[in-house]
Amino acid sequence: MKASNNPTRDVDKGRRRGRFALLAFLGMMFLIVALPLTGYLMVGETAAQAQQGAVNPLSELWRGARQANEGYTAVTAPQANILITDSGQNWRQVRNGPLATYGAWLMILALVALAALFLLRGRVDIDEGPSGMTVERWTRSDRILHWYTAVLFILLAITGLSLLYGRAVLMPVMGSEAFASYAQAAIYVHNYLGLFFAIGLVLMVLKWLRVNIPKGHDLSWFLSGGGMLKGKHPHAGFVNAGEKLLFWTLAVAGLAILITGVILLFPQLGQSREVMQVSLVVHAAASILVITFIFGHIYLATVAMKGSMAGMVGGRVDVNWARQHHDLWAKELEEKGVRPEPAPARPEKEAPEEPRPAAS
Ligand code: HEM
């Protein structure tokens, strides 16, 4: 992208875009997570107290079921004749207690930390300004794979968090019938899209594995905070150490999410209830960890790091951006003799029409 002839206007435009991007990012994150989770932390306890006080006309029946009494069923799955097991009670307490509560805090704290980072560091501009010359960073197939996986991930995160926190957060707001319909739809969306996401994640890990192999300079990248806190930029190859951390978290936690997802999705495989219960806790905990990382990733790509979105949208990045953030990769391109190309010209905005003299 070429700089215009008026640097002050460019700076103002950049600031306006930065503010808009920050507001859009915070608004999106707030709607997706912070609002329902804050509600959960406040409403959860009150709802539990209200439930304790309510009289259930079927209490005798449920008391029997809770004592793990065996009954009769034509279903032949393991333990199908026991409605409520001890391990099920423990699992419910872990799911609704530490898992949901610590998970909510982790995500909220991550958003607060990102807001603090923005206040401290602001938007990272291209120090030398855009050169107007670009090099290819992400091929078309990289970009299709990235956005395919990213969109599916966001839909899975919204439906997954709705299933984990919805009963406590959405049901009081939507009413039980509307919530039941929404939750049913969310389960279908989550279950079907999960399989498509798995394909994207596996391809992504395989395709980008080589560039994410840790190198010696990655340690100094971490020690200098990725250059976010101090002015000087640490060395980085095609991807920096922070991106490698995201990649390996996705690869390891993603694998755990996929395996436990299959266990949960296909109960007819014959696994016991205990295996399903542990799988659900692992599935949700690993997903919350990845969601927290993705908050940071989206923040850096949209709000904090000027110039990186161009690469994942159009495939090419400015040469000065490459030298600043991925100096070792930029040097490698120069050594290979890769020639930068001018950035595609942006269509100029039409000048507003001159006011016409009023007809006499
Ligand atoms: C709105 C959401 C998202 C935006 C705006 C976004 C943006 C970007 C951008 C701009 C890059 C290129 C960074 C560079 O050139 O160095 C990138 C890379 C990447 N993104 Fe995203 N992304 C989003 C969501 C996701 C999601 C949900 C995932 C995972 C499920 C993901 C995984 C990755 C990975 C693995 C890389 C490459 C980093 C590496 O190889 O280590 N992104 N993203």
Side-chain angles (χ1 to χ4, degrees), residues 1-63:
M1 189 198 309
K2 267 183 190 144
S4 79
N5 296 334
N6 186 341
T8 327
R9 224 176 62 193
D10 277 348
V11 172
D12 284 349
K13 239 189 290 77
R15 282 204 188 119
R16 270 202 305 278
R17 278 205 200 120
R19 274 200 293 269
F20 177 74
L22 177 68
L23 280 178
F25 172 78
L26 288 179
M28 196 170 83
M29 292 302 132
F30 187 70
L31 283 179
I32 292 176
V33 178
L35 191 60
L37 292 188
T38 315
Y40 165 76
L41 292 171
M42 283 160 41
V43 177
E45 214 167 299
T46 328
Q49 281 163 3
Q51 254 180 16
Q52 268 173 15
V55 178
N56 183 351
L58 292 175
S59 53
E60 279 306 313
L61 176 78
W62 285 110
R63 196 162 298 127

Side-chain angles (χ1 to χ4, degrees), residues 85-294:
T85 57
D86 270 357
S87 67
Q89 294 286 33
N90 296 339
W91 164 80
R92 197 170 57 87
Q93 277 172 6
V94 172
R95 178 202 187 273
N96 297 347
L99 175 68
T101 310
Y102 292 136
W105 277 116
L106 182 69
M107 289 185 277
I108 289 174
L109 287 179
L111 292 178
V112 172
L114 292 177
L117 186 63
F118 183 77
L119 291 177
L120 216 67
R121 186 66 170 93
R123 211 166 179 222
V124 180
D125 279 335
I126 302 177
D127 293 341
E128 306 285 314
S131 67
M133 299 301 282
T134 62
V135 281
E136 184 177 47
R137 181 156 172 79
W138 301 102
T139 62
R140 184 186 289 264
S141 62
D142 283 327
R143 286 176 275 143
I144 292 174
L145 183 57
H146 174 268
W147 292 118
Y148 165 87
T149 317
V151 168
L152 287 175
F153 179 88
I154 291 170
L155 291 172
L156 287 168
I158 293 172
T159 48
L161 290 176
S162 300
L163 294 173
L164 185 60
Y165 295 104
R167 212 176 134 80
V169 177
L170 300 176
M171 203 161 81
V173 183
M174 297 169 81
S176 50
E177 275 184 33
F179 175 69
S181 312
Y182 169 69
Q184 192 61 50
I187 289 177
Y188 278 123
V189 170
H190 200 79
N191 289 354
Y192 283 112
L193 294 190
L195 293 173
F196 291 97
F197 170 72
I199 297 170
L201 185 66
V202 170
L203 290 178
M204 199 187 232
V205 169
L206 293 178
K207 198 166 197 292
W208 296 343
L209 189 75
R210 206 171 58 83
V211 291
N212 280 286
I213 292 172
K215 298 265 169 63
H217 56 253
D218 291 329
L219 188 62
S220 29
W221 191 95
F222 278 122
L223 291 177
S224 62
M228 284 301 269
L229 300 174
K230 293 179 205 162
K232 198 176 170 325
H233 273 278
H235 294 304
F238 180 75
V239 289
N240 62 40
E243 289 174 306
K244 288 183 186 177
L245 183 64
L246 168 77
F247 176 88
W248 287 108
T249 308
L250 263 178
V252 176
L255 187 68
I257 295 170
L258 299 194
I259 294 172
T260 50
V262 170
I263 294 175
L264 292 166
L265 200 51
F266 301 107
Q268 62 271 41
L269 294 176
Q271 59 275 39
S272 68
R273 283 188 190 186
E274 285 77 10
V275 169
M276 304 266 292
Q277 285 151 3
V278 172
S279 296
L280 191 132
V281 173
V282 173
H283 189 80
S287 303
I288 288 174
L289 180 74
V290 176
I291 290 172
T292 310
F293 267 81
I294 292 295

